[in-house]
Amino acid sequence: MRSIRARLILILMGSTGLVWLLAVGWIYLSTQAEVERVLDARLMEAARMVNSLLSDHRIEVGLEENAARKAMGEFELSNRPYERQLSCQIWTLEGSLVGRSENAPEAQLTEIQDGFSETEVGGERWRVFTVENEVLGVRVMVGDSLQIRDSLVSDVIKGLVVPALLILPFLAGVILVSVRRGLSPLSDMAETLSTRAANDLRPLEAASLPKEIAPAVNALNGLFKRVEDARDRERSFTAFAAHELKTPLAGVKTQAQIALASDDPTVHANALRQITMGVDRTSRLVKQLLDLTALEANDSEPTLQPVSARALMRSVAAELPLPQGAARLSVEADGEGADRVLVEPHFLSLALRNLIENALNHAPETTGVVCRVEKANGGVRLVVEDRGPGIPEAELSQVVEKFVRGRNRSATGSGLGLAIAQAAMARMGGTLALENRDGGGLRAILTVRKAEAAA
């Protein structure tokens, strides 16, 4: 059942009906016990009263049966419901009936000589209390029909159940109205959302809502905020990407026009070199855009596996498209077995490639780029160092943002390399730190978990 309203109605009506049934059962049992106690007390009092009257000679033993019946009729109650169910018999100790009330059976009510007992006489069950009078030589038996007792209890229960059954439809209507009014905030919220425009991501008002609905509204407002932030990032990303792509494409077009307009071979060669550089820059920018989009769009958990950081560094260095890259790169490690890390290889490769390309683009041709694997507290550090101009201290926290390029920018950069490295490390639980080296240059530090420690 997918309807909360229907579920609540069924639960409330079912639980209410169950409570009514349990209440009726409890009242029935308690009423029956109380009626039994009261009627037993009345039996006892009636038997003792008749015995007292016999002892006081207000009823003479030995009278004829009709006379005795007439005398005992003086102690019977008026003929109203439940007032003539008592029957009285007087028997001698030898077993002769010497008196009985008008409605009493002729057969002996019980064989028990004294106290309470239950018997069946003439197909009818009786509850009997017996008092033995040894002085007069008689037994007084006062009996109560169990059928009449059961009728009394049944009438009491009917008096409770019938009003309850009449109230149930009214109670069902109250439950329906209450559930509908209780769920009205959800209906109002749904109506508000249905009338909104697609680009309206304002948060919903949660202050006046019931506290049970407030968590869902707060979560929905959080979703609106994340969607709005994502849209802002997409707008900024699209604007910056269009700007960054426009510049190299315009340069390529300009160099092509120069080559077409000139007959000088030197101008032709220079224009072709510029076109090649522009195409390389555009190709790298497109590749970085695709990498960044893949990192931000992929919500699945990364598959971490143990790899050799030094081998991964060497593999990335070997794949770099720059011809002079391998000759100017060196990969070092603290020792054998110290470079095993638990990472997503693709993410770590993205981070390393962008860091190494960034270092190669900024490092002077006379200096090299050093990649080093170091031990750290509970982890491993992958360090990429160059002897370039470095980054001003005020810009260190900003250059990891997309399309942010510092003052010491290179001609081929686009401001995405450090952002890709930052996003890749965040996806697999690592960190990226940037610091300037003493004597000039930049040090980029990737900190990841050690494979043995993680296991």
Side-chain angles (χ1 to χ4, degrees):
M1 183 178 297
R2 297 184 178 181
S3 172
I4 297 178
R5 178 177 299 163
R7 186 180 303 174
L8 284 175
I9 291 173
L10 288 178
I11 290 174
L12 290 175
M13 294 186 68
S15 59
T16 302
L18 180 62
V19 170
W20 274 108
L21 289 177
L22 293 177
V24 169
W26 178 76
I27 293 173
Y28 174 81
L29 295 177
S30 61
T31 302
Q32 188 177 37
E34 187 66 19
V35 168
E36 293 285 347
R37 187 182 66 81
V38 171
L39 295 181
D40 282 351
R42 188 177 65 165
L43 280 180
M44 185 184 302
E45 291 176 1
R48 289 175 176 173
M49 181 186 67
V50 173
N51 182 61
S52 176
L53 292 176
L54 289 173
S55 299
D56 294 342
H57 301 289
R58 296 184 60 184
I59 299 177
E60 294 295 337
V61 178
L63 295 175
E64 294 182 358
E65 185 177 336
N66 292 334
R69 184 184 304 116
K70 181 179 179 182
M72 294 195 59
E74 299 176 2
F75 305 102
E76 293 181 355
L77 300 175
S78 60
N79 189 18
R80 289 182 293 179
Y82 310 115
E83 291 184 348
R84 293 185 62 84
Q85 77 270 26
L86 292 183
S87 297
C88 182
Q89 292 179 343
I90 302 174
W91 292 79
T92 64
L93 298 180
E94 290 77 14
S96 300
L97 176 64
V98 295
R100 65 185 180 92
S101 61
E102 181 179 353
N103 296 322
E106 296 182 359
Q108 187 171 341
L109 287 174
T110 182
E111 299 293 336
I112 303 301
Q113 299 179 357
D114 195 14
F116 285 103
S117 62
E118 290 188 10
T119 60
E120 183 173 344
V121 179
E124 186 177 3
R125 293 190 58 79
W126 292 81
R127 176 77 168 170
V128 183
F129 185 79
T130 304
V131 177
E132 184 175 301
N133 192 328
E134 296 181 354
V135 176
L136 299 178
V138 296
R139 291 191 184 92
V140 178
M141 303 178 185
V142 178
D144 196 1
S145 174
L146 293 180
Q147 181 179 1
I148 297 180
R149 285 193 178 192
D150 294 339
S151 298
L152 175 61
V153 176
S154 298
D155 289 343
V156 172
I157 298 302
K158 288 178 182 177
L160 295 172
V161 172
V162 172
L165 292 176
L166 296 177
I167 291 174
L168 281 179
F170 173 75
L171 184 60
V174 172
I175 291 175
L176 288 174
V177 174
S178 301
V179 171
R180 185 177 293 110
R181 290 183 60 87
L183 295 178
S184 60
L186 287 176
S187 301
D188 296 340
M189 184 175 65
E191 183 178 358
T192 301
L193 292 176
S194 64
T195 57
R196 279 194 175 190
N199 58 351
D200 187 359
L201 296 177
R202 292 172 301 162
L204 296 170
E205 180 62 37
S208 59
L209 292 175
K211 62 181 181 180
E212 290 81 7
I213 304 177
V217 175
N218 292 332
L220 193 59
N221 289 337
L223 177 61
F224 288 162
K225 181 65 170 59
R226 293 193 296 273
V227 172
E228 182 67 23
D229 293 342
R231 291 180 59 185
D232 291 341
R233 287 196 300 269
E234 289 176 359
R235 293 191 191 102
S236 300
F237 183 84
T238 303
F240 281 119
H243 175 73
E244 292 295 331
L245 285 172
K246 181 179 179 181
T247 301
L249 290 176
V252 169
K253 182 179 180 181
T254 300
Q255 294 301 323
Q257 291 173 343
I258 291 173
L260 290 173
S262 176
D263 295 331
D264 188 347
T266 304
V267 175
H268 280 182
N270 184 62
L272 290 176
R273 282 195 300 271
Q274 295 297 326
I275 290 174
T276 301
M277 292 176 60
V279 171
D280 289 341
R281 179 183 176 187
T282 304
S283 176
R284 183 184 179 216
L285 175 59
V286 171
K287 188 176 187 308
Q288 287 181 324
L289 288 173
L290 293 175
D291 289 340
L292 188 59
T293 302
L295 281 172
E296 292 183 343
N298 188 0
D299 294 332
S300 61
E301 290 293 327
T303 303
L304 303 181
Q305 52 185 288
V307 297
S308 170
R310 180 167 52 180
L312 194 62
M313 273 187 171
R314 288 176 176 171
S315 175
V316 172
E319 293 174 358
L320 287 175
L322 299 176
Q324 72 275 27
R328 296 169 56 199
L329 277 176
S330 63
V331 179
E332 304 172 359
D334 282 351
E336 293 295 334
D339 66 336
R340 300 289 293 178
V341 293
L342 189 69
V343 295
E344 167 61 62
H346 176 64
F347 292 164
L348 186 57
S349 297
L350 281 179
L352 284 172
R353 186 176 72 233
N354 282 275
L355 291 179
I356 295 173
E357 286 181 348
N358 189 69
L360 290 171
N361 289 334
H362 289 83
E365 294 183 1
T366 57
T367 62
V369 174
V370 178
C371 299
R372 188 168 61 253
V373 180
E374 301 176 348
K375 295 179 180 179
N377 294 330
V380 175
R381 301 200 311 171
L382 289 75
V383 183
V384 179
E385 296 179 339
D386 64 71
R387 283 296 181 181
I391 300 175
E393 294 294 332
E395 298 177 356
L396 281 175
S397 60
Q398 302 173 5
V399 291
V400 294
E401 300 294 333
K402 294 188 289 288
F403 300 107
V404 174
R405 301 173 66 189
R407 278 174 284 175
N408 300 327
R409 68 186 68 178
S410 68
T412 59
S414 59
L416 286 176
L418 294 177
I420 292 175
Q422 173 80 356
M425 295 306 294
R427 284 299 312 278
M428 60 183 177
T431 59
L432 168 65
L434 302 175
E435 58 185 37
N436 290 305
R437 298 177 62 188
D438 296 335
L442 182 70
R443 179 182 293 114
I445 306 171
L446 302 177
T447 304
V448 294
R449 284 179 288 178
K450 191 176 181 181
E452 290 79 6

